[in-house]
Amino acid sequence: MLGVSGGIAAYKACELLRRLSESGHDVTVVPTAAALRFVGAPTWAALSGKPVSDEVWSDVHEVPHVRIGQEADLVVVAPATADLMAKAAHGLADDLLTNTLLTARCPVVLAPAMHTEMWEHPATRANVATLRERGVLVLEPAEGRLTGADTGKGRLPEPAEIFEVCRDVLAGAGRRDLTGRHVLVSAGGTREPLDPVRFLGNRSSGRQGYALARAALARGAEVTLVAANSSLADPAGVKVVHVETTAELRAGVVEAAAGADAVVMAAAPADFRPVDVSSAKLKKREDGTAAPVALVQNPDILREVAHERARPGQVVVGFAAETGDADGSVLDHARAKLARKGCDLLVVNDVSGGAVFGSEDNQAVILGADGAAVDVPLGPKSALAHAIWDQVTLRMRD
């Protein structure tokens, strides 16, 4: 069920409805009376293929104020205004949408949108805290242009990002086993500058790390994502720290790890960096030979985080992009890396032939320091993300 409350961002819910419908979901739209002043009922009916009403008095014989909530696999409200969240927090039910929120026993996602002052008001903060304590996934609003000339926090997250959250909530079957936990995820590939134009880097897109962040959010966690050079949009509801170099990645990870119950290092940091970075573009030699570039080894962030745990019981997960060679198979190299790094879990990707990088799908073996080995077949990176969090939650202490 897609609920729409009365804010100017209601028009953006049309795109969310389209994405949900085109991905195969049967969507019932329940707007408030105020929402219908921004987007009319014919629009919602045309996009959803279903009649639309905001009243509990329509089709009373079908008891819609109870039936819609009972039958839904997911309820998402976008935008969720301060007024709507206040009613939801206090159990008020004066229209079809608020009645549905009371009867829903499925996962509920609220995507707030309002002016900054309204979002920061103590009453709104208290209502959000109450809803989250009850298991409702209340996203953090985005920052940017608001109504009129105002700019600040309170903007509706992009529909594409809300859609990804919905997919992850459904993929997790409503699990909220990370509620009350703070998790840290790193993603992307670092870049080490050679000069103002060139850098040493790798092919990591950050997709798996971003999928991990979204999956953790869907399961109730507070999520910090340290992202290196990814072109992906910031996941809705996730605190994102953007970095470029391995040194910056290390600083961001070490700082956020201090308060994290789990650290998942999905980023691909460069192993080496140039000793000297030229302030001017390096020119070709006249004789055609290449100028040598002296390299120095970067810090091993995963090993540091694993060996110097910021808090007792912290679960640390590493990634290994491996290929087999004459000295051993992919898993042989991975098991050696697991022991060397000292982490609790190691997610092993066979990247022979450039597999995995930039792809929407992934497959892996999750190795545990306790000897466990979980084979995750090829599928969406979100599925692997949930499989990883399944293993993390098994190892978390109360």
Side-chain angles (χ1 to χ4, degrees):
M1 190 211 79
L2 171 61
V4 186
S5 59
I8 185 62
Y11 77 93
K12 292 186 176 181
C14 295
E15 182 183 346
L16 177 59
L17 172 57
R18 180 183 62 79
R19 288 177 179 270
L20 290 167
S21 298
E22 290 183 356
S23 62
H25 296 292
D26 177 28
V27 186
T28 298
V29 181
V30 180
T32 65
L36 292 176
R37 300 189 66 146
F38 291 98
V39 180
T43 299
W44 300 120
L47 291 174
S48 68
K50 292 184 174 184
V52 171
S53 175
D54 65 308
E55 297 181 357
V56 295
W57 307 111
S58 299
D59 301 316
V60 174
H61 64 288
E62 295 182 357
V63 200
H65 71 289
V66 174
R67 176 182 54 80
I68 295 173
Q70 288 178 333
E71 294 179 354
D73 297 304
L74 172 70
V75 172
V76 54
V77 182
T81 60
D83 178 68
L84 183 281
M85 291 194 295
K87 290 178 179 178
H90 291 84
L92 301 181
D94 60 356
D95 62 10
L96 187 55
L97 177 53
T98 49
N99 271 271
T100 300
L101 289 171
L102 279 181
T103 58
R105 294 298 179 266
C106 59
V108 176
V109 177
L110 302 182
M114 63 197 73
H115 271 72
T116 306
E117 293 83 359
M118 299 175 73
W119 173 251
E120 294 177 347
H121 194 282
T124 303
R125 304 309 297 159
N127 291 332
V128 169
T130 296
L131 290 165
R132 286 173 172 167
E133 287 171 3
R134 294 177 185 159
V136 176
L137 177 52
V138 183
L139 302 180
E140 288 290 313
E143 294 189 29
R145 180 73 177 269
L146 305 174
T147 306
D150 293 346
T151 299
K153 189 168 186 177
R155 183 182 174 91
L156 183 73
E158 290 303 313
E161 284 302 313
I162 301 173
F163 170 69
E164 292 298 335
V165 170
C166 293
R167 288 211 304 182
D168 271 305
V169 170
L170 290 168
R175 284 171 287 183
R176 303 288 289 169
D177 48 7
L178 290 175
T179 298
R181 303 287 193 175
H182 176 208
V183 303
L184 164 63
V185 179
S186 70
T190 62
R191 296 175 179 177
E192 305 296 342
L194 288 163
D195 60 24
V197 178
R198 304 177 182 90
F199 60 84
L200 298 177
N202 58 66
R203 297 174 60 193
S204 177
S205 67
R207 291 184 184 278
Q208 187 63 69
Y210 276 58
L212 280 157
R214 291 192 184 98
L217 182 80
R219 293 168 78 142
E222 176 188 351
V223 185
T224 298
L225 175 65
V226 182
N229 304 298
S230 177
S231 61
L232 302 174
D234 290 352
V238 172
K239 177 183 177 182
V240 183
V241 179
H242 292 280
V243 299
E244 181 176 359
T245 67
T246 300
E248 292 172 353
L249 177 69
R250 177 190 173 278
V253 166
V254 170
E255 180 179 354
D261 297 294
V263 179
V264 182
M265 292 292 297
D271 293 326
F272 301 94
R273 68 181 186 277
V275 173
D276 297 307
V277 179
S278 175
S279 60
K281 181 181 176 182
L282 297 171
K283 303 298 191 292
K284 295 179 181 178
R285 288 181 169 180
E286 291 185 3
D287 60 4
T289 60
V293 177
L295 301 176
V296 63
Q297 188 166 331
N298 270 322
D300 190 328
I301 306 172
L302 174 58
R303 190 177 190 281
E304 178 182 350
V305 170
H307 282 267
E308 301 176 18
R309 309 274 171 138
R311 57 193 305 178
Q314 187 178 68
V315 180
V316 178
V317 183
F319 271 66
E322 295 286 353
T323 59
D325 56 26
D327 295 324
S329 67
V330 167
L331 289 182
D332 290 335
H333 291 306
R335 290 190 178 96
K337 182 173 183 177
L338 174 63
R340 188 170 64 252
K341 301 292 186 180
C343 49
D344 302 291
L345 295 165
L346 189 71
V347 183
V348 186
N349 292 128
D350 184 345
V351 294
S352 302
V356 176
F357 293 115
S359 172
E360 296 284 348
D361 299 322
N362 202 353
Q363 63 184 36
V365 177
I366 306 173
L367 298 179
D370 54 7
V374 178
D375 191 0
V376 183
L378 183 65
K381 288 185 173 177
S382 59
L384 175 57
H386 280 288
I388 293 168
W389 290 121
D390 287 344
Q391 295 303 308
V392 169
T393 55
L394 289 174
R395 290 160 174 81
M396 279 183 164
R397 300 178 186 175
D398 294 332

